[in-house]
Amino acid sequence: MLTRCGARRAVRIAGLAVHAWIALIVFDLAVQCGFVHVHGWLIRCRLAPPERMPLTAEEIVWAVDEACVWYIKRVACLQRSAIATWLLRRHGLRAELVIGCRPLPFESHAWVEIDGQVVNDRPQYQKHFTVLDRL
């Protein structure tokens, strides 16, 4: 049975998924001007104070993943991770966007970490990829 508090939380998470979907559009538009704009935006993104009823990292990442499912085009790992980082910080969590690569066979990837733990992807990327940048 869903309690009143649980119902409010579900509505907040659904609203967050809509917010993430809109952020995906904004990201696509900003990237048209160059990645430097997105990079600067994440650098300037400050950690928000903790909320009265905080959402967990899992709930926020779920909302971003759900927005990606309903987005108008395929979402790349960098776009998904940048939006997740931004939303996690807006909800008081110390998220870092990590961009890494491996040389052979060449592959690049982006993921989000909180306190050194991958929150939106598989932890194996930390082992197999060289970190190029942390935002």
Side-chain angles (χ1 to χ4, degrees), residues 66-120:
E66 189 67 17
C68 291
V69 168
W70 294 103
Y71 195 54
I72 55 179
K73 67 181 192 76
R74 185 174 179 273
V75 177
C77 60
L78 180 61
Q79 185 176 13
R80 180 175 54 92
S81 295
I83 300 306
T85 300
W86 174 66
L87 285 173
L88 287 161
R89 288 179 186 171
R90 287 200 59 204
H91 286 85
L93 298 165
R94 295 188 182 281
E96 271 189 315
L97 171 67
V98 182
I99 301 171
C101 76
R102 74 171 177 213
L104 292 173
F106 181 78
E107 185 180 359
S108 62
H109 193 61
W111 64 91
V112 181
E113 294 180 4
I114 296 177
D115 298 326
Q117 299 294 315
V118 178
V119 295
N120 76 329

Side-chain angles (χ1 to χ4, degrees), residues 14-85:
L16 189 60
V18 171
H19 200 144
W21 192 85
I22 293 167
L24 291 169
I25 294 171
V26 172
F27 182 97
D28 272 340
L29 295 173
V31 154
Q32 298 300 316
C33 299
F35 182 71
V36 69
H37 294 288
V38 174
H39 188 274
W41 166 66
L42 279 172
I43 294 287
R44 290 187 304 275
C45 181
R46 300 280 182 233
L47 189 65
E51 298 176 335
R52 191 182 68 177
M53 283 183 16
L55 294 174
T56 66
E58 292 81 17
E59 291 169 328
I60 296 167
V61 168
W62 179 89
V64 172
D65 289 343
E66 189 67 17
C68 291
V69 168
W70 294 103
Y71 195 54
I72 55 179
K73 67 181 192 76
R74 185 174 179 273
V75 177
C77 60
L78 180 61
Q79 185 176 13
R80 180 175 54 92
S81 295
I83 300 306
T85 300

